[in-house]
Structures are given as C-alpha cells and as structure tokens.
Amino acid sequence: MDDITGIPVDLRSFLDRFPDFVSLSDFSGKILYINPAGLELIGSASLAAAVELSALEFLTPDGLELANDIGAGLRADGMWEGYCELRHHVTGTSIPVVVTAYVIHSDNGRADVVVSTIRHRQTDERRNARMAADALVAGRHAREQKALADLSRFAVIADLPTLLTAATDTAATLIGVGNSAIAHLERPDDPYLTMDAASGVLGVRQSVPSGDGSLMGYVLANSESAVCNDRTVETRFRTETMAAFGLRSGVGVPILDVAGDAWGVLTIHSAEARHYRDEEVSFLGSVAGIVSAANRRIDLERQLRRRSTHDALTGLPNRTLAYDVIDAALARARQQSATVALLLLDIDDFKIINDSLGHEAGDKALVKFVSRLVSAIREADTVARLGGDEFLIVCEGVDSVAHAEELARHITSSIAVPFSAVDVPIPLSASIGIAVSDPNSTRQELIHRADLAMYRAKDSGTGGHAVFDPTDLYDADRIRSLSIDLRAALRADELTLAYQPLVDIATRKIVAVEALARWNHRELGPIEPSEFVGVAERTGLATPLGAWALRTACTAAARWRTFSDIVVRVNVSALQLRDPDFPTEVASVLAETGLPASALGLEVTETVWVADTERVADTVSALHAMGVALLLDDMGKGHSSMSYLDRYPMFECFKIDKSYITRLPAPRARAIVSAIVALARAFDVTVVGEGVETEEQLDALAAAGCDFAQGFLLGRPVDAGAIADLLLAGP
C-alpha cells in the first residue's frame, strides 16, 4: 500500500464505521489514517490534525516505555499485542487500552504499513464479562435442553409415578433449589392436595392445603403459573405451609390434562428469598409440559387397554378379560383345593325389546339391567358381558353346587323386582346355567358346561337355572347332529305334514285340520316333533321349517277345497311373527296355491303373543286385515293380559291348553275351562279344547260351552290322503 488514498472505498467505509480504534502508520511511526472511533477515543479534532503527529506522540510516558517492545515485536514477529496507555489530546489523561498491531508487507516483501486496533480496557472487560455471561447462559440452556430431552425420552417408557419422581428431581436440580413437588387434587372438595412426588423437605409428603391455602393449591385452582419471590410479602395465598417447611420462595406451574384444565401442579421452593428468572419459569413449564404429554399418553394407553378388555356399553369386563379372570381363578382354586363356579346368564326374550323399540332402547335397558345384576352379586365375584344379552359371572370360594344354586336364586330374585318410573321396559328374568369346577377343569370345559346348562334352563321356562349334568353333553351333540340333518332334510323335502281333525262338539263334523310337522330320520327313525322343532328354534331353522309347513299345508288345503269347505290351521313360530315381511310371504303362498285367505288359520302361542306384543301385534294385524284367521294357542299356559287382548281384537278363537283338558272332569279343571270359555265369550271368540282323549273330557267341554274339540278321541293326525277320504266320507 503506497498511499492512504489507495484504500478501496468499500474498505474505507468499513473502517470509518468500525466501533474500535483503527490506525494505519508507516514503519517509522508516521500516522497515515485514524478512523472516527479512534479520533473520538483520543479527543483529536480531525484526521488532518492526527496525521501531523507521530505514533509515539499518542502514548503517555508509561506507554512510551513499551515503545521499544512494540517495535521489536513488529520487526521480529510482524505483530504485537498487549496492554498500553494512550494520551487524551484535550485533557491529557491516560487511557488504558488493549493494543493489537501487525505489519502489512508490500509485494516486494518490504515492511510497509502497521495496522493497529485499539480498545479501551473497560470496553474489553465488559465485552469479556458479557461473553462469559453469554457462555454461562448458553451452558445453562444446553444443560436444560439436555435434561428436557432426557426426560422426554424417559417419559416414553416410564410409568406415571416413576416419571413424576424424575420430573421433580430434574426441576430441583437444574434450578438449584433442592425442593420440588408434584401434586393433584383427588376430589374437588378435598381440603388437601395429594402429593404424587416430592424432593427435599417436601419429600416427607406433608399435607398441603388446596385452594388459596398454599402456592400449590393456588396454581391448581387458577390453572396458571405463579411466582413467589418472598413469602413474607405474599398476598395471593396463605404461606403458613411454606413457613412450616422452612421455605421462603417458590414457583408453581400447572400440569394440564387433555381438556386443557389443570390436572396437577409442579412446584420448586427455596429456603431463601429468591428472584426467579423468566427462563427458570419457562423451564419449569417445559417440564410440566412433558409430564402433561406423558400423562395424556398414559391415559390414552389406559383407555385403549380398558377398551380392549371392557364392554363399551356397560363398562363390564368383556370376553377377553373374563377368560383371563377364569384362568386366574382356576389356578388359585387348584393351589387352594377350592372350586370355581361359572354362572352363564342369558336374558329371557331380550330380543323383543330390541325388535319392538329399537337398539337404542335395548341399550338403555341393558345398562339398567346390568346395574341391577352387579348389585346382586358378591363383592368378590366378577360379572362380564360376553356379547348381546349374555353375561358370565365368575364366583370363587363356592363350597358346593348347592352354594352356586343359592347364588343363582339370589340373582334371579334380585333382577325380578319391577323397576319404577322407567322410560324403557327392563328385563326382569334370565336363564342361568351353572358349572362348578373340579381339580382338572379347564376354562373352555367350564364355559361349555355352563352354556349347555343354560340352554337346558331356557328349555325349562323363563327365569330359571340349571346345573350342568353329564347328559347335557349328549344333548349338545345330538342337537348339533340333528340340526345338520334337519337342514339337509328340508333341502331334500324329506319332512311330511300330518293333519289332525278339529270337530264341532255339537255336530261332530270336521271343520278344520291342524297341520303338524313329522320327520322320519333316515337312520334314527321318527323324531319327536317337540325335539326337532326345539332344535330348529335353537339353530336358526325355525323360519325355513315354518315356511315349508305353510306352503305344504296351503297346497293340500287348496286341493281339498275343490270338494269341501275345510279350513287348514298352521302353527307359526315367534321368529316368523317378528318378521315384518311375514304377511307378504303368507300372501304370496296364498296367491301361488289359490287358497282363499279365509281358509287359512294361523295359530299363535299365548306366550309368544304376550311376550312380544308390539312387534307381533303389527304382524298379526296385517294378517287379520288380509282375512287370515288367527287363533291364540295354549290359552292359560302363559301369562295373558286382558289389556292386550282388548287392545288387539283380531283373534277369532282361543285354544285351551291340553294340560287343563287332561285333568277334566275334575272340579278345579272344570272351573278353569269355564273361566276361559267365559273370557272367550266376553271377547266374542270361539273356543277349542285340545288333547281330548275321553268322552268324559268331551262332555265336560260341552257342559262348559266349548265350541270345538281336538284330540285322539276325535281323530289322530293322518296324512293328506287320509284327510281327503274323511272329508269325502262326511260326518
């Protein structure tokens, strides 16, 4: 650099704005350039005045003592750095500075220019202090970030209590107070907080008041952070608890739940009055945030686990958890030489509520039923919902089969108590199957046995229970086998109908025939109707069996109607009557066979009618509107309701259950039959006595005013050809 004017414009502009003293001089000490910051530091009026001076004239006497060292350093090393003193040109005072000087050589290697940067020693010290402070803050921030990262990783794998302890330790250690705690309020009206984790003097888990009784309570109640630098001047909450612990200051931050409300509170405390920086409060908030996120994760996992093991509607254990409970109970029973009883409970006719009122009403009914059921079991028992309207009760410590039956009877009586003021009908009865373990019982065997016993209980009527019997295994195998064969027999048209005459008691004339299904099994021979009809109802074949019987009977009756005014009567199942499409099916069969609707009678059992009134009523009303005759079968066997019969006056005939006919002419049986006939007269319908086997029974029916009779005395069930012969022969 030959001349100061050779400094590029951009560099000159940079030097003019540089905050420290910068000078250029030649090697002899002649000043070439001083920037504005340098001129200001030494009090020089202008650059022109400064360049008239030698570099040595800028130094104080103490500074001049270093001139030789500076020159030697520049000559030997090309630079010098150290402390020196400049002289203020106006006041003459010394200016302690830090100097850095180095030589810039020209292209030919000759020393050309000495560049010096000079900084007031106070400025340098302030900068160093600031840098040290920045380094300290950066170090603290790095430690905090590492601690938060470590805590976040730990939160993924730890359970909540372990995480809370780690969070309090992290907060206390990083802020350097030694006292930290996490607490929550168990119930809104609790006077004290529940301490979940604590360190320092708080580790004794002392009682901490809720609400404004403490810093913790205040933060939790207001869902916002609070800083107390000195409890002696605190007015927002009471500080007696802090004083009792020997604490003077503290900070609390809320731990939020999924809804954004304060679930708990994280606090730190110091034994001294202390000013807590915003950064420290923010760090505590970050720790609380990690706990909050982990709590939400853990709560979600807990919910997911519960959903996988509990029924969503009732909250009861589901099939999966029930199986685990049974396995554990059987293991304990083997160790203690004890027994376990399983009670498999199926609500009687629950499908009625779902079909007639809808699934929403069914769900409400189930919830109310479950409440009653849970209150009926022992505290140590477990009740689970297996699905639909089926429940399993696991009972440990059962002394005997009689003990298990006692439990079943208690449940039956408890759920049978009528509900008051309910918006949906609630089931009041259930069938219960009981199985009691032996030392070698497995879960699968025990459930299977309870299931078989439950079906036997259902076959015996509603609201009962049955204990597993080894013969149930045979019955189950037979049911499975017969259901397979019955389905095949229906496809192959191997079933037949027999027709039993129904006669006018006064004239003995055949007025109708009842179609009765018969099955002659290829290998087992004739199967009792009560058995294969029961199999059909249990295995989903009742509807196809009923459809086959209806079509077959109507086809035969259409042929008879060419020479007789006979009426055919067909039994219909509960499933058919609950099917809203059943009237359409009947109309289709009548149209295909050409049988008038008035020539068809459908027999509905009283128990089906009363048990499922709303749904069945819609179906039978549609059938009645078509002109199909409707008969109420098994009158007196069920639990008839006069209000139902009065509301739905579509039946034209009552059939007295044969159990009453069998006891005729006994006085009590006569009275019952007379009462049923009187009821029929009140509803302007005819009456049939079925199961008549003696003249005495027939005479008793006639004396009671009964219209028609049916039974072996008057005609056994015969095939369609024999009925045609009887009709052609006349009375």
Side-chain angles (χ1 to χ4, degrees), residues 238-475:
R238 296 194 299 276
T239 59
E240 292 88 342
T241 301
M242 289 177 64
F245 290 164
L247 301 174
R248 185 75 176 269
S249 63
V251 179
V253 294
I255 302 172
L256 305 180
D257 59 17
V258 178
D261 299 321
W263 164 80
V265 55
L266 167 64
T267 58
I268 58 167
H269 293 275
S270 173
E272 306 296 333
R274 189 179 191 277
H275 176 74
Y276 293 93
R277 295 175 290 104
D278 292 343
E279 293 83 355
E280 292 174 322
V281 178
S282 177
F283 173 71
L284 282 181
S286 297
V287 173
I290 292 173
V291 173
S292 178
N295 185 45
R296 287 194 292 269
R297 174 187 61 78
I298 293 171
D299 185 58
L300 179 59
E301 291 175 353
R302 189 185 303 117
Q303 292 179 30
L304 292 175
R305 284 196 299 270
R306 180 173 177 80
R307 289 176 186 175
S308 68
T309 58
H310 286 74
D311 175 55
L313 175 64
T314 64
L316 293 176
N318 62 10
R319 184 185 300 270
T320 300
L321 183 55
Y323 286 174
D324 291 342
V325 171
I326 296 170
D327 289 340
L330 288 174
R332 285 190 292 269
R334 283 189 286 271
Q335 293 173 354
Q336 302 166 7
S337 299
T339 55
V340 176
L342 291 192
L343 277 58
L344 187 62
L345 181 150
D346 188 89
I347 299 176
D348 294 325
D349 297 320
F350 179 72
K351 191 173 185 296
I352 295 168
I353 297 176
N354 270 339
D355 290 347
S356 59
L357 300 178
H359 289 285
E360 183 177 352
D363 288 347
K364 291 181 180 179
L366 266 182
V367 171
K368 293 182 182 296
F369 175 84
V370 164
S371 176
R372 171 85 46 100
L373 177 61
V374 170
S375 66
I377 65 173
R378 302 175 305 172
E379 184 176 354
D381 297 338
T382 299
V383 57
R385 185 187 182 196
L386 299 186
D389 58 349
E390 196 170 64
F391 300 86
L392 186 67
I393 305 170
V394 185
C395 306
E396 297 187 65
V398 175
D399 301 331
S400 61
V401 171
H403 187 188
E405 287 191 274
E406 181 183 339
L407 297 177
R409 281 191 290 270
H410 175 68
I411 291 171
T412 298
S413 61
S414 297
I415 63 179
V417 178
F419 286 78
S420 59
V422 294
D423 53 350
V424 292
I426 310 300
L428 300 178
S429 70
S431 298
I432 302 175
I434 302 171
V436 179
S437 70
D438 57 48
N440 299 316
S441 292
T442 65
R443 181 232 306 161
Q444 293 85 347
E445 291 172 344
L446 209 56
I447 293 175
H448 183 51
R449 292 176 179 183
D451 189 51
L452 295 176
M454 185 271 291
Y455 274 111
R456 183 153 50 81
K458 274 196 172 297
D459 290 340
S460 301
T462 59
H465 70 267
V467 178
F468 169 76
D469 186 276
T471 59
D472 290 336
L473 293 173
Y474 165 78
D475 292 340

Side-chain angles (χ1 to χ4, degrees), residues 5-17:
T5 59
I7 299 176
V9 174
D10 291 343
L11 177 58
R12 175 68 178 266
S13 177
F14 168 75
L15 294 176
D16 285 347
R17 289 172 172 77

